[in-house]
Amino acid sequence: SAVISQKPSRDICQRGTSLTIQCQVDSQVTMMFWYRQQPGQSLTLIATANQGSEATYESGFVIDKFPISRPNLTFSTLTVSNMSPEDSSIYLCSVVKQGYEQYFGPGTRLTVT
Amino acid sequence: DAKTTQPPSMDCAEGRAANLPCNHSTISGNEYVYWYRQIHSQGPQYIIHGLKNNETNEMASLIITEDRKSSTLILPHATLRDTAVYYCIVRVAWRGQNFVFGPGTRLSVLP
């Protein structure tokens, strides 16, 4: 298995500001992903965090809005830039270590006012 | 990845077995059935997965029909802590991509 921690666990931010979310895994993993879960909705993939190169973004998500870093095999950050109330969501880090299972972090609950 | 269909919600009495169905009529021969659950305000938790044989672990049992077009997740003795959204996902076993989550089934375990 993999133990994933995220910081912060929650935050309340002003419109127009940016927030960086950190994801730390207790061991090296093959893949890291970032998801968004809007209130009452299922999970939506934002991007795949690639070590040492630019993240791969899903349709509807762009690097300028959600810059991602992954400097090594156990750590990644997601920044939510120029926030608006529509960005209020839970942001989840997810990893695949090897094999068939995907593990999820506890999530970061973001409220934009 | 094959599409899945799940009922939006179900109720189950505490202590009874919870049987959560999933239809995946377009499943391919190399696609696995995975189940995850998400307890309120937490990240999704892996439960179980299988290809064609029934599977059991400490959390649940997975029953896959012979034609593999549907499956059932069984929680043998549901507790209040099993109240969660349960996601059935069908996909090829690890090909370097993520899981696609549908709306899932909201299971309410009632006292």
Side-chain angles (χ1 to χ4, degrees):
Chain A
S1 65
V3 177
I4 305 169
S5 61
Q6 287 185 231
K7 291 182 181 179
S9 59
R10 59 177 61 227
D11 207 342
I12 300 173
C13 300
Q14 299 271 357
R15 179 197 299 259
T17 62
S18 298
L19 175 71
T20 296
I21 303 168
Q22 298 179 3
C23 175
Q24 179 72 56
V25 192
D26 67 339
S27 56
Q28 293 184 353
V29 296
T30 307
M31 307 287 289
M32 296 183 79
F33 304 99
W34 286 98
Y35 286 81
R36 179 176 74 181
Q37 187 171 30
Q38 295 177 301
Q41 303 295 314
S42 187
L43 285 74
T44 300
L45 180 68
I46 298 173
T48 302
N50 301 310
Q51 187 207 356
S53 64
E54 191 172 288
T56 304
Y57 290 85
E58 297 299 303
S59 175
F61 298 95
V62 295
I63 187 171
D64 290 345
K65 176 66 176 178
F66 298 102
I68 289 171
S69 77
R70 188 181 173 192
N72 56 51
L73 293 176
T74 63
F75 185 79
S76 177
T77 66
L78 167 74
T79 299
V80 186
S81 303
N82 188 25
M83 289 183 284
S84 67
E86 292 72 34
D87 294 320
S88 296
S89 293
I90 299 174
Y91 291 86
L92 294 143
C93 173
S94 179
V95 304
V96 172
K97 196 169 182 178
Q98 57 182 354
Y100 308 114
E101 298 168 23
Q102 186 167 347
Y103 303 96
F104 289 82
T108 296
R109 183 180 294 275
L110 171 62
T111 302
V112 183
T113 60
Chain B
D1 294 336
K3 182 178 178 181
T4 62
T5 303
Q6 298 177 252
S9 64
M10 292 181 62
D11 292 339
C12 176
E14 188 178 18
R16 305 294 293 270
N19 298 287
L20 293 93
C22 180
N23 287 321
H24 31 79
S25 58
T26 61
I27 192 170
S28 301
N30 60 347
E31 288 183 313
Y32 285 69
V33 181
Y34 294 82
W35 283 85
Y36 281 76
R37 73 179 182 183
Q38 187 174 25
I39 296 171
H40 182 62
S41 298
Q42 299 181 22
Q45 176 190 23
Y46 167 82
I47 301 173
I48 199 168
H49 76 278
L51 181 62
K52 55 183 178 181
N53 297 319
N54 297 337
E55 302 288 343
T56 296
N57 62 21
E58 65 278 4
M59 290 182 66
S61 295
L62 173 60
I63 308 299
I64 303 174
T65 58
E66 190 169 346
D67 63 7
R68 302 207 325 121
K69 294 185 176 182
S70 66
S71 60
T72 301
L73 177 74
I74 301 173
L75 309 178
H77 304 287
T79 70
L80 298 178
R81 289 175 293 181
D82 292 321
T83 293
V85 178
Y86 287 77
Y87 298 99
C88 170
I89 303 166
V90 173
R91 59 158 294 156
V92 175
W94 190 240
R95 59 178 182 180
Q97 297 180 7
N98 79 101
F99 287 87
V100 177
F101 285 79
T105 295
R106 182 173 297 278
L107 174 69
S108 298
V109 180
L110 308 175

